[in-house]
């Protein structure tokens, strides 16, 4: 049996797309014995680990890749697989979609503790809270998160041009040399308008119609399969989650009245807040809260956004305005490596000190008057100056 699995594994590895490698590849310390890679469905976790195997590990029987959705696990355990693999010289075990396997945390812990010659890398849904796993994998696993494609990555895929990654401090400097380097090679203002429709997930080469259908299919899989398998939800609760998502999508940015929304969906207030938390962990929505509220999942959000602009085009059915697109893009890109919160003064406050007001090219300064470290972010401009920044440049944060 193990030989069949190894053969199938090699076939999958050899077919892996090597054209573009995501930013996370170089951020992972691949020497760790237990690595967890989380991310939303469709973000490219599987491709990432297959690329790593193909370019860094020997093409022999010491390496095994397997999805835990494989029919093999209908009649075999993960523990027995690891045992047979090690007995046959196995050293590198890659487990895809572990949340599909019951009691995954217990068996991975046992494998880790029993076979110290084995390196284990596993991927999971962003919903999975490894730090809360009953068997305390958080002390053993080094956890990484894969975001959706950034604008920079999208540009690299469609043009083949490798562009610089900028941190927030780089962007705020408005360095003319940085603008020259990027603008001399690509037209980010033009490409931004394509990215917001179909650039956040790595399957846009098949066309806009197919892209949006794939995105709808992915959302259905998350809501109908992943959520119930992880949180043990029944059909009626899945239906209520869909109603909740529809209510949000047709009104974003959504300022929730929790009592009215609870009544509309047919759940209690605590249950509603829990469902919002599930949708956020699934990377379908953002709950924007004031920083004083901390990270409590049971606190009411001030605003709710869809997780990226592509979801706007799929779910909102054109029932949105350009201001919503701009804010959603900024929130999605800036929050990857920064803390973004609700502000009473501007659209967003970042890292508890930087204020950002988002708008079009005619946006004025009066909304940030009197605020220190405050910036105007404008759509449809190529370069920034002083405290005015182009919106597109926040797509270069990773």
């Amino acid at each position: 049996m193990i030989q069949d699995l190894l053969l199938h594994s090699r076939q999958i590895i050899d077919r892996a797309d090597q054209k573009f490698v995501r930013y996370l590849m170089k951020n992972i310390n691949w020497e760790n014995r237990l690595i967890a890679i989380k991310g939303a469905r469709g973000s490219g976790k599987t491709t990432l680990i297959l690329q790593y195997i193909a370019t860094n590990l020997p093409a022999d029987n010491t390496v095994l890749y397997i999805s835990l959705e494989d029919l093999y696990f209908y009649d075999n355990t993960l523990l027995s697989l690891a045992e047979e693999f090690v007995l046959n010289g196995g050293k590198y075990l890659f487990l895809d979609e572990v949340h599909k396997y019951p009691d995954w945390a217990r068996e991975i812990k046992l494998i880790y503790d029993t076979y110290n010659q084995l390196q284990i890398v596993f991927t999971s849904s962003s919903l999975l809270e490894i730090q809360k796993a009953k068997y305390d994998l958080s002390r053993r696993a080094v956890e990484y998160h894969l975001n959706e494609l950034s604008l920079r990555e999208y540009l690299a895929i469609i043009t083949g041009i490798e562009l610089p990654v900028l941190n927030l401090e780089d962007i705020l400097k408005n360095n003319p040399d940085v603008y020259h380097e990027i603008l001399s090679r690509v037209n980010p203002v033009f490409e931004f308008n394509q990215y917001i429709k179909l650039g956040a997930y790595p399957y846009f080469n098949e066309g806009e119609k197919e892209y949006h259908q794939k995105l709808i299919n992915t959302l259905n899989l998350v809501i109908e399969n992943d959520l119930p398998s992880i949180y043990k939800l029944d059909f009626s609760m899945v239906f209520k989650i869909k109603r909740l998502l529809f209510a949000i999508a047709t009104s974003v940015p959504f300022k929730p009245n929790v009592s009215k929304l609870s009544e509309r969906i047919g759940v209690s207030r605590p249950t509603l807040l829990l469902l919002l938390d599930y949708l956020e962990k699934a990377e379908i929505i953002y709950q924007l809260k004031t920083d004083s509220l901390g990270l409590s999942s049971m606190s009411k959000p001030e605003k709710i956004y869809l997780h990226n602009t592509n979801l706007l085009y799929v779910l909102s059915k054109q029932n949105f305005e350009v201001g919503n697109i701009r804010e959603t893009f900024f929130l999605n890109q800036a929050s990857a490596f920064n803390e973004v919160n609700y502000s009473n003064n501007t659209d967003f406050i970042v890292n508890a000190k930087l204020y950002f007001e988002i708008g079009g090219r005619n946006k004025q300064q009066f909304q940030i008057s009197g605020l220190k470290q405050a910036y105007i972010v404008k759509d449809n401009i190529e370069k920034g100056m002083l405290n005015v920044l182009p919106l597109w440049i926040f797509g270069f944060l990773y």
Side-chain angles (χ1 to χ4, degrees):
M1 177 64 78
I2 193 68
Q3 293 305 319
D4 292 337
L5 293 177
L6 287 165
L7 177 61
H8 184 54
S9 168
R10 179 47 51 185
Q11 290 170 342
I12 294 172
I13 294 164
D14 290 342
R15 291 198 302 266
D17 184 356
Q18 298 290 338
K19 293 177 185 175
F20 178 77
V21 178
R22 298 293 312 278
Y23 74 94
L24 190 62
M25 181 73 80
K26 63 184 179 182
N27 294 351
I28 295 174
N29 179 1
W30 294 97
E31 299 300 315
N32 287 302
R33 267 224 309 131
L34 184 60
I35 297 169
I37 301 172
K38 292 173 58 179
R41 266 191 184 268
S43 59
K45 301 183 299 295
T46 300
T47 300
L48 181 78
I49 61 173
L50 293 175
Q51 287 173 333
Y52 173 76
I53 297 168
T55 56
N56 294 278
L57 296 179
D60 59 23
N61 289 351
T62 62
V63 180
L64 176 62
Y65 163 86
I66 189 167
S67 169
L68 273 76
E69 292 183 294
D70 196 290
L71 295 176
Y72 170 87
F73 293 108
Y74 286 2
D75 198 36
N76 297 275
T77 67
L78 184 52
L79 192 57
S80 65
L81 168 71
E83 180 181 11
E84 189 176 358
F85 179 50
V86 170
L87 286 173
N88 283 271
K91 296 179 181 178
Y92 308 97
L93 181 58
F94 291 81
L95 306 171
D96 210 0
E97 304 289 343
V98 297
H99 57 281
K100 295 295 183 181
Y101 184 88
D103 218 10
W104 62 273
R106 183 183 70 87
E107 293 198 35
I108 288 178
K109 175 186 176 296
L110 286 171
I111 294 167
Y112 177 89
D113 292 344
T114 304
Y115 304 108
N116 58 16
Q117 71 272 52
L118 192 62
Q119 184 191 45
I120 307 157
V121 178
F122 67 90
T123 75
S124 77
S125 162
S126 56
L127 289 159
L128 213 59
E129 297 181 77
I130 294 168
Q131 71 273 20
K132 292 185 180 178
K134 164 166 125 171
Y135 299 98
D136 196 16
L137 279 183
S138 61
R139 289 191 301 109
R140 296 167 172 84
V142 181
E143 187 177 332
Y144 297 90
H145 182 268
L146 184 63
N147 298 298
E148 303 106 317
L149 287 169
S150 67
L151 174 61
R152 185 196 70 85
E153 291 182 302
Y154 169 77
L155 288 168
I157 292 172
I158 64 170
T159 65
I161 298 171
E162 191 68 25
L163 296 160
V165 176
L166 308 172
N167 60 38
L168 191 56
E169 290 73 23
D170 294 330
I171 289 174
L172 299 183
K173 289 175 184 174
N174 262 328
N175 188 333
D177 293 337
V178 171
Y179 289 124
H180 177 73
E181 180 181 1
I182 296 170
L183 293 168
S184 64
R185 305 174 77 190
V186 295
N187 184 343
V189 177
F190 173 79
E191 298 296 352
F192 171 86
N193 292 310
Q194 278 296 103
Y195 171 85
I196 60 175
K197 296 177 184 176
L198 43 76
Y201 305 92
Y203 41 73
F204 43 75
N205 288 326
E206 298 172 28
E208 185 169 347
K209 183 178 178 182
E210 290 76 11
Y211 181 91
H212 285 170
Q213 186 56 55
K214 276 196 169 186
L215 190 45
I216 290 169
N217 294 344
T218 298
L219 286 170
N220 281 328
L221 281 171
V222 171
I223 294 171
E224 295 173 4
N225 293 0
D226 295 351
L227 279 166
S229 69
I230 293 170
Y231 294 114
K232 312 303 179 191
L233 305 178
D234 59 23
F235 176 79
S236 66
M237 196 57 71
V238 168
F239 179 73
K240 288 172 181 176
I241 289 173
K242 287 189 172 185
R243 289 187 66 188
L244 175 59
L245 182 57
F246 176 79
I248 293 168
T250 53
S251 311
V252 286
F254 188 70
K255 293 186 176 181
N257 180 316
V258 173
S259 298
K260 287 185 178 179
L261 191 55
S262 299
E263 186 177 339
R264 177 177 173 182
I265 305 303
V267 295
S268 66
R269 183 184 191 280
T271 300
L272 177 73
L273 294 174
L274 196 60
L275 297 184
L276 288 172
D277 190 49
Y278 292 165
L279 286 173
E280 184 168 54
K281 286 189 171 74
E283 298 184 47
I284 296 173
I285 66 168
Y286 283 111
Q287 297 185 83
L288 205 62
K289 301 178 181 181
T290 58
D291 55 356
S292 61
L293 290 174
L295 300 176
S296 170
S297 62
M298 299 310 288
S299 59
K300 171 187 169 296
E302 297 295 333
K303 271 187 180 181
I304 299 174
Y305 289 84
L306 290 176
H307 204 270
N308 61 62
T309 57
N310 293 183
L311 294 174
L312 271 172
Y313 280 88
V314 166
L315 295 175
S316 295
K317 304 300 181 186
Q318 308 302 317
N319 185 30
F320 52 84
E321 57 165 7
V322 65
N324 184 16
I325 294 171
R326 293 167 181 153
E327 291 177 28
T328 301
F329 173 81
F330 177 90
L331 176 58
N332 174 261
Q333 304 284 284
S335 63
F337 295 102
N338 298 278
E339 182 186 347
V340 183
N341 293 106
Y342 176 83
S343 167
N344 288 315
N345 300 299
T346 57
D347 288 320
F348 304 103
I349 182 170
V350 177
N351 298 334
K353 61 182 181 180
L354 303 169
Y355 292 92
F356 293 91
E357 183 69 22
I358 320 298
R361 63 185 306 141
N362 296 319
K363 188 77 174 177
Q364 300 300 310
Q365 297 268 342
F366 70 90
Q367 283 176 281
I368 63 170
S369 178
L371 293 173
K372 294 181 179 179
Q373 293 186 281
Y375 301 86
I376 297 292
V377 180
K378 293 187 178 185
D379 192 10
N380 284 315
I381 63 169
E382 285 192 337
K383 301 177 182 179
M385 184 178 293
L386 300 176
N387 70 333
V388 175
L389 303 158
L391 178 60
W392 63 262
I393 203 167
F394 289 89
F396 281 67
L397 283 165
Y398 63 91

